[in-house]
Amino acid sequence: MSRLEAASAAQQRIWLSHMLNEGDSSHTVSNALCFSGPLDVGRLRAAVRAVVRRHEALRTTYRLEGARLVQRIEDDADVLQPDVDLRAIPRVERAAAAAAVATADARRRFDLERGPVMRATLVSIGPLEHRLLLTVHHIAIDRWSRHVLVRELTHLYGALAADRPAPLPEPLQYATYAARERMAASTPGYAESLEHWKRRLAQASPVRLSPRPRGAGSRPAGYRSFVLAAGALAPLRALAREARVTFFVAMLAVIDVLLFRLTAAEDIVVAVPHANRGKPGTETLVGCVVEMQLLRVDLSGDPSFREVLRRARDVVLDAHRHGGVPFDALLQELGLANDAGRPPLCNVVLAFANDPDPVPELAGLAVRVEESLADTAKFDLTLSFIDRGDAIDGCIEYDAGLFTGAQLDALVSHLAALAAGAALLPDRPVLDLPLTVTEEGA
């Protein structure tokens, strides 16, 4: 049995991008649960099936009815793929073989009309070493959903292994969430927030860091990982406390100044993924709920860093006050078209997490989660930061058709220099702040 529901605006955008970019893996979310120890494969399969039964988004397909995209929600979906056993090949070759299996799985295109939108593949590397590849289309999952998926999967496996009940709260389903979103669009508060965003983003321009033209279709991704050391960040943290702003606001201000210095544009728009999980029930929801917030900061008037910090704080506070407007609804109201297949005004994305991903726990098994890097760039630049309380782990995903590795090395160097210099010289005009660590000892 199945039922039909209207697709959300986000699902329509992701579906259209999927159809226009054949072979593009930018909407594929790939993770591996790595088990060390005696794994009960039968119980693991049962746990996977139970999670899929709990969440409609994992058993939904999509089709056009006339000009309307609808969700087709099935009672169940077979997401389990044939097991891959690598134990017969030489041990020294198994790690590379496992990586090749994961890469091939991540590159397999999803059929959103036929489904499934999730694949679960068990790879056996040794008697006590296994990986469960969880590959899901972005139309059905976001970063928060991934945590829900892993948490419930390990919880259910542990309960099955201990032969005990595994009570879990009844989850909010995505179709219900989407219906609530549509109902909210008719409220006065929604109309007020929509008008705020329309005023805030009127005549906004995307950040252009590269003069190279953007190619159509999928674009190869490059990655640059780095660490911002605790000692270098301590002055910036102290300044944030003094200014009574969060460290996220301080990092946003640094990014704004960096883009201003590199482009000479005084009007900077940075896209920030917002988890959008503040409403009741959304903490257990699996589905694409994340919304982009377009944070536009004005750097005109030769401001000091302290002034940029204040402006960034006000922009972030306004964004919180006027949340609840779906990104896709805003784009429609603004009449903005995609830029070479990508959402407009999202050339530079800042993703900031206060905590690293939680580590699942299972008695008798060591478990870790590995995230696979996509081979297709989603945006020009995506700067991802995980704040570990002292140091920051950073990773930049970039469009390799627009930037070179050397350019990214320079970008990271400029970022570190500005973070240090802005904290030490907060009242100096940002145009005078050092862009390299050799300038003025920054």
Side-chain angles (χ1 to χ4, degrees), residues 146-162:
R146 186 188 69 185
H147 298 330
V148 175
L149 190 65
V150 170
R151 182 173 65 247
E152 292 192 357
L153 185 59
T154 52
H155 176 83
L156 291 166
Y157 176 89
L160 288 167

Side-chain angles (χ1 to χ4, degrees), residues 88-111:
I89 68 175
R91 180 177 295 274
V92 294
E93 299 175 9
R94 293 179 195 171
V101 171
T103 298
D105 183 60
R107 289 176 177 171
R108 279 177 56 198
R109 182 172 169 83
F110 285 97
D111 185 332

Side-chain angles (χ1 to χ4, degrees), residues 38 58 60 84 113 122 150 159 172 214 244 377-378 387 427 432:
L58 302 178
T60 297
V84 178
E113 184 171 356
L122 183 65
V150 170
L172 177 68
R214 287 160 180 76
R244 303 183 71 177
K378 292 178 280 296
D387 187 356
D427 297 306
D432 295 340

Side-chain angles (χ1 to χ4, degrees), residues 266-307:
E266 296 180 337
D267 183 12
I268 300 296
V269 178
V270 172
V272 175
H274 173 56
N276 199 24
R277 298 280 175 159
K279 295 181 180 178
T282 54
E283 66 277 0
T284 60
L285 169 64
V286 168
C288 187
V289 177
V290 64
E291 293 284 4
M292 280 293 190
Q293 288 188 334
L294 301 175
L295 304 183
R296 184 183 188 182
V297 177
D298 176 14
L299 282 93
S300 64
D302 198 21
S304 67
F305 183 75
R306 195 183 298 275
E307 173 61 19

Side-chain angles (χ1 to χ4, degrees), residues 6-27:
S8 70
Q11 289 173 328
Q12 292 177 57
R13 170 176 50 83
I14 295 171
W15 177 86
L16 181 60
S17 177
H18 171 90
M19 299 302 291
L20 290 175
N21 296 296
E22 186 175 356
D24 191 332
S25 64
S26 62
H27 293 308

Side-chain angles (χ1 to χ4, degrees), residues 201-322:
L201 296 172
Q203 306 303 315
S205 299
V207 175
R208 300 287 190 188
L209 273 172
S210 172
R212 298 180 183 179
R214 287 160 180 76
S218 61
R219 284 161 276 185
Y223 292 89
R224 173 68 163 84
S225 297
F226 58 95
V227 175
L228 297 177
L233 292 175
L236 186 62
R237 292 187 190 277
L239 177 62
R241 289 192 295 269
E242 177 191 330
R244 303 183 71 177
V245 302
T246 63
F247 190 61
F248 163 74
V249 170
M251 288 302 298
L252 172 63
V254 170
I255 298 299
D256 286 331
V257 172
L258 175 63
L259 297 174
F260 169 53
R261 294 289 299 274
L262 295 178
T263 66
E266 296 180 337
D267 183 12
I268 300 296
V269 178
V270 172
V272 175
H274 173 56
N276 199 24
R277 298 280 175 159
K279 295 181 180 178
T282 54
E283 66 277 0
T284 60
L285 169 64
V286 168
C288 187
V289 177
V290 64
E291 293 284 4
M292 280 293 190
Q293 288 188 334
L294 301 175
L295 304 183
R296 184 183 188 182
V297 177
D298 176 14
L299 282 93
S300 64
D302 198 21
S304 67
F305 183 75
R306 195 183 298 275
E307 173 61 19
V308 175
L309 201 59
R310 184 192 66 77
R311 296 179 189 182
R313 176 202 62 197
D314 291 347
V315 167
V316 170
L317 288 175
D318 277 346
H320 285 313
R321 292 189 191 103
H322 297 284

